């Protein structure tokens, strides 16, 4: 059982209502911004989010994946009560984000991308003490919880140092500790690894993965690898709309791209490559076979297929029978980039709308 850390705060689940099936539900969320054309006249309308709907089951990581300007941050600001939806509804643990604003905030820990949100002149521990008091926690609860979290994010030995001396990766780990301080059941993490070097980003991803199933996480990212590594389900968002949704495997399976197995042989077969190609063409999992001679003078086989595992198994059986040793194998599967292209008709990019 988690220790209680917030004095007077409600439980993270409203048991009088019963537990809702999902920690987060968004239903036809829409947000319109209006440009100002002058002091008294309104300019054009910009629809930043266009009827977004999704649901996040308890104890899972759900990803909103899209390029910069796709509507990710606007969506999470509506979910976290920082923006009022133009239309549509949303709930956090059953609480309506407009009708039950304070209840929603008690459920949530929110981390926005960027460097803001910490006091650099304070130490890591002093930052957590400050924010703990803002959350209404007792000093005893803050001390206990801060020690736990600083150990969790591997900052306990640096807790008394000023944050201004820390690397960006260390600051981001402190951001996560601050987000967890009041023991929220639902976390919204907006681009948590943006701007980090690969090593620091890997540390943050490992930390996030350890937070489930105790927490439910909504993760926004434009990093394909991050989304695939962490998320059980992903909604691809583009120009304010969800254009595809499902598990990473399902999204990739829907992408109609050429799947290919490339096999590099150690040497040219004694009787030539022709007999091998004939047998490979007859294999049920292989649609097309061709070969080229590499710069080393050895053959490379290119096999097109729908199921790379089945094609590879059949090809290796043939090569074993033909006593054709293999040096390297490359497999070309569908990627989330392919899934984005299939859903939107364009390449994934960073262009804001």
């Amino acid at each position: 059982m988690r220790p209680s850390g917030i004095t007077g705060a409600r439980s993270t689940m409203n048991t009088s209502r019963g537990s809702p099936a999902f920690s987060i539900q968004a239903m036809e969320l829409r947000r319109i911004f209006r440009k100002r054309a002058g002091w008294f006249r309104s300019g054009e309308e910009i629809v930043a989010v266009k009827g977004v709907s999704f649901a996040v089951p308890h104890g899972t990581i759900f990803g909103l994946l899209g390029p910069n300007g796709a509507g990710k941050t606007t969506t999470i600001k509506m979910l976290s009560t920082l923006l009022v939806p133009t239309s549509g509804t949303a709930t956090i643990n059953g609480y309506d984000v407009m009708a039950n604003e304070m209840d929603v905030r008690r459920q949530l820990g929110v981390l926005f991308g960027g460097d803001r949100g910490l006091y650099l002149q304070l130490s890591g521990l002093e930052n957590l003490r400050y924010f703990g008091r803002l959350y209404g926690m007792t000093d005893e609860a803050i001390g206990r919880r801060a020690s736990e979290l600083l150990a969790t994010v591997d900052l306990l030995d640096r807790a008394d140092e000023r944050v201004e001396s820390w690397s960006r990766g260390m600051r981001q780990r402190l951001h996560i500790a601050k987000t967890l301080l009041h023991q929220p059941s639902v976390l919204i993490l907006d681009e948590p690894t943006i701007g980090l070097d690969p090593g620091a980003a890997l540390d943050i991803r490992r930390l996030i993965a350890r937070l489930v199933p105790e927490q439910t996480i909504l993760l926004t990212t434009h990093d394909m690898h991050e989304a695939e590594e962490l998320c059980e389900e992903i909604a691809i968002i583009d120009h304010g709309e969800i254009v595809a949704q499902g598990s990473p495997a399902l999204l990739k399976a829907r992408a109609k791209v050429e799947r290919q197995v490339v096999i590099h042989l150690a040497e040219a077969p004694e009787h030539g490559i022709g007999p091998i190609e004939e047998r490979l063409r007859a294999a049920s999992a292989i649609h097309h076979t061709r070969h080229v001679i590499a710069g080393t003078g050895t053959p490379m086989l290119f096999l097109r297929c729908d199921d790379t595992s089945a094609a590879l198994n059949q090809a290796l059986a043939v090569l074993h029978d033909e006593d054709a040793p293999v040096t390297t194998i490359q497999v070309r599967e569908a990627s989330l980039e392919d899934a984005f292209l299939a859903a939107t008709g364009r390449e994934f990019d960073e262009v804001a709308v």
Side-chain angles (χ1 to χ4, degrees), residues 25 43 47 75 77 104 145 148 150 155 185 196 221 238 247 255 268 337 347:
Q25 286 185 287
V47 184
T75 298
K77 283 184 175 179
V104 167
R145 186 69 175 147
E148 291 173 358
L150 288 167
L155 290 174
S185 62
L196 300 183
T221 183
D238 186 45
S247 68
E337 287 92 340
E347 298 287 345

Side-chain angles (χ1 to χ4, degrees), residues 237-253:
I237 187 169
D238 186 45
H239 292 93
E241 298 179 281
I242 291 179
V243 295
Q245 184 173 327
S247 68
L250 178 60
L251 291 172
K252 290 188 293 183

Side-chain angles (χ1 to χ4, degrees), residues 287-349:
H287 300 328
H288 182 268
T289 302
R290 69 181 180 90
H291 81 276
V292 299
I293 302 301
T296 57
T298 53
M300 294 177 66
L301 292 162
F302 293 82
L303 314 176
R304 289 211 300 262
C305 55
D306 291 328
D307 184 336
T308 55
S309 295
L312 181 58
N313 287 337
Q314 292 179 4
L316 290 178
V318 169
L319 294 171
H320 182 268
D321 286 346
E322 296 288 339
D323 194 25
V326 173
T327 57
T328 60
I329 296 171
Q330 295 174 300
V331 176
R332 165 71 164 95
E333 293 278 12
S335 65
L336 285 180
E337 287 92 340
D338 296 320
F340 184 87
L341 177 62
T344 65
R346 67 181 181 85
E347 298 287 345
F348 191 91
D349 56 43

Side-chain angles (χ1 to χ4, degrees), residues 210-247:
R210 294 200 302 267
L211 297 178
V212 291
E214 285 74 17
Q215 271 85 25
T216 302
I217 299 175
L218 174 61
L219 172 76
T220 78
T221 183
H222 64 263
D223 187 312
M224 299 281 187
H225 172 72
E226 181 167 278
E228 185 166 4
E229 179 182 347
L230 291 176
C231 300
E232 295 182 37
E233 187 166 354
I234 296 169
I236 295 177
I237 187 169
D238 186 45
H239 292 93
E241 298 179 281
I242 291 179
V243 295
Q245 184 173 327
S247 68

Side-chain angles (χ1 to χ4, degrees), residues 68 111-115 167-172 190-202 204-205 220-223 226 350:
N68 290 342
L111 184 156
F112 286 104
D115 291 328
S167 68
R168 188 163 185 178
M170 293 171 64
R171 294 179 191 180
Q172 195 70 337
D190 184 26
E191 303 279 7
T193 61
I194 191 168
L196 300 183
D197 64 69
L202 179 60
I204 296 298
R205 290 183 190 123
T220 78
T221 183
H222 64 263
D223 187 312
E226 181 167 278
E350 300 290 328

